[in-house]
Amino acid sequence: MVEEKASSSDTQEDPIKLLVVEDDPAMLIAFQDVLKGAGFEVLSASNGEAALDLLGHTKPALILSDISMPIMDGYELFEAVRKQPGGASIPFIFLTARGTREDIFAGKSLGADDYITKPVTTQELLSAVRARLQRSDELMLAQLKHAYKDSLFVLANAIEARDSYTHAHMRRLSLYARALADQLEWDDARLEILEFGAILHDIGKIYIPESVLRKDSSLSDEEWVEMRKHPEVGALMIRDIPYLAPAIPLVLHHHERWDGDGYPAQLNGEEIPEGARLLAVADAFDAMTSDRPYRQAMPVDEAYTEIRNGSGKQFDPGIVQAMEKCWDSGEIHRIMDNSNKSSD
Ligand SMILES: [Fe+2]
């Protein structure tokens, strides 16, 4: 089997590029053979300075470097790489001679990702390289997710500039939705999608004319038609962002009703994605308990009664039951109290 190659680099893609810095030509050839044999592309340099020259025009996925070398040693190289733009994220593995404990200690205190003691077996070398690459991938993914989340808030807050209700609503809605989902024991993956759905559900309102969004009287039929386009517009806005694709059903269907009288697709019952059914309850509760340009907030107890009365009509009875449990445990009031404090 080609397991060795497939796990380190997909044959359909460019091979992963590694830089080996080693002054012993025999050792260098041995490393190159092993790494190339496992499907990696291998660049090489015989000392730190030559490595830095190479790094000026290429960025390897990982650097493997000997410590004692002429001209510029491994430590100096490591420090120079970390100072380069983009260099801080390159995984770095020191190659150290067996028994040189000071080297190992110094290497670790520099914050090196790892070290390998020479002589090294093929297996040790490959598993250390793969482990570092995997850790680096995971780190990058985590950073990417973080950046995505930040940009989501920026995007969603863009609506806030037009509708002051939106930001506080988004925050409370996320908390209500999370409380309901916890009650239903949703796993982390579903909670993450729900969080995105809660942030993004009304993103399509960015296209609704200001005059409609801020109107302090009832909307005309034409204005309602405009308003009701926001789930579809929102779904279109995020469809090309693969990471957000799982939230599309929530954005698209958060105004569907259990009895089939909602929009845009008039889905009913369990045809409606569960995340959208859950958001519908949280969304309606928060909308009723908030002041809007065209009406005052409804008393909380009344809004809760409305939600219960809507069970099996507007809302999924299972979600309403979760809402009842959150109400009885005091969770709903806790969220309301906390968000009132933080919005002061
Ligand atoms: Fe909406």
Side-chain angles (χ1 to χ4, degrees):
M1 271 300 282
V2 289
E3 192 274 331
E4 286 287 275
K5 285 191 177 185
S7 59
S8 55
S9 68
D10 192 317
T11 47
Q12 298 300 307
E13 293 170 11
D14 289 341
I16 296 171
K17 205 186 289 176
L18 310 179
L19 171 59
V20 181
V21 191
E22 169 64 68
D23 64 327
D24 178 340
M27 197 73 90
L28 183 59
I29 289 171
F31 285 136
Q32 281 177 326
D33 283 352
V34 170
L35 295 168
K36 281 183 182 167
F40 293 104
E41 180 184 340
V42 184
L43 305 170
S44 61
S46 57
N47 64 69
E49 202 171 271
L52 278 182
D53 278 349
L54 261 174
L55 290 169
H57 50 84
T58 186
K59 188 182 172 192
L62 177 145
I63 299 172
L64 263 168
S65 175
D66 188 15
I67 292 176
S68 67
M69 291 179 292
I71 307 176
M72 180 188 271
D73 71 16
Y75 294 141
E76 289 172 290
L77 171 64
F78 176 77
E79 283 172 352
V81 168
R82 288 296 183 249
K83 282 181 195 150
Q84 280 196 336
S89 61
I90 304 176
F92 201 105
I93 301 179
F94 284 117
L95 296 160
T96 171
R98 197 174 291 281
T100 51
R101 302 192 62 85
E102 294 82 353
D103 278 354
I104 291 170
F105 180 75
K108 283 177 84 76
S109 68
L110 270 171
D113 292 298
D114 205 350
Y115 59 86
I116 301 175
T117 46
K118 295 186 282 189
V120 59
T121 67
T122 299
Q123 201 48 48
E124 279 169 347
L125 178 64
L126 289 178
S127 52
V129 165
R130 285 177 181 144
R132 286 305 145 266
L133 286 173
Q134 192 186 344
R135 194 200 293 172
S136 152
D137 282 353
E138 286 164 359
L139 195 70
M140 262 167 58
L141 191 66
Q143 285 168 341
L144 199 62
K145 281 187 174 183
H146 203 72
Y148 263 131
K149 231 177 234 185
D150 284 350
S151 35
L152 280 190
F153 273 104
V154 171
L155 199 63
N157 281 342
I159 311 171
E160 186 203 3
R162 310 178 67 217
D163 181 0
S164 57
Y165 156 76
T166 308
H167 182 66
H169 168 60
M170 214 165 64
R171 203 179 49 221
R172 285 189 306 264
L173 172 63
S174 298
L175 295 171
Y176 292 139
R178 175 61 193 255
L180 296 175
D182 281 344
Q183 193 60 248
L184 294 163
E185 297 180 348
W186 285 17
D187 61 22
D188 287 348
R190 295 184 79 193
L191 289 175
E192 186 174 69
I193 296 167
L194 182 67
E195 190 188 355
F196 290 159
I199 296 170
L200 295 168
H201 71 292
D202 274 346
I203 196 104
K205 282 190 179 173
I206 200 113
Y207 285 107
I208 293 177
E210 189 112 4
S211 56
V212 177
L213 214 53
R214 290 184 181 275
K215 198 169 174 190
D216 57 6
S217 54
S218 309
L219 301 183
S220 68
D221 288 350
E222 295 77 33
E223 288 166 340
W224 268 119
V225 169
E226 281 304 305
M227 191 63 124
R228 288 190 167 142
K229 285 179 185 164
H230 77 271
E232 285 161 300
V233 172
L236 279 175
M237 284 171 71
I238 61 169
R239 72 172 175 185
D240 293 329
I241 308 172
Y243 186 56
L244 297 181
I248 291 176
L250 282 71
V251 174
L252 187 58
H253 297 296
H254 73 277
H255 285 291
E256 304 286 357
R257 291 173 51 113
W258 184 256
D259 59 14
D261 270 351
Y263 63 93
Q266 287 84 48
L267 300 182
N268 68 62
E270 290 183 357
E271 284 174 2
I272 308 165
E274 195 180 6
R277 283 182 255 149
L278 189 148
L279 275 189
V281 171
D283 192 25
F285 181 75
D286 190 61
M288 286 190 280
T289 51
S290 305
D291 285 329
R292 304 309 317 275
Y294 46 89
R295 59 153 176 75
Q296 290 272 299
M298 186 186 283
V300 181
D301 289 1
E302 256 177 61
Y304 175 58
T305 305
E306 283 291 314
I307 296 286
R308 297 180 76 194
N309 290 343
S311 178
K313 294 173 216 151
Q314 185 172 353
F315 307 119
D316 174 348
I319 310 281
V320 174
Q321 234 170 49
M323 176 80 181
E324 288 167 351
K325 286 183 187 152
C326 292
W327 179 272
D328 293 341
S329 72
E331 186 60 21
I332 300 294
H333 284 92
R334 257 192 301 279
I335 293 170
M336 296 190 81
D337 292 347
N338 287 339
S339 66
N340 284 340
K341 269 179 227 142
S342 56
S343 62
D344 284 344

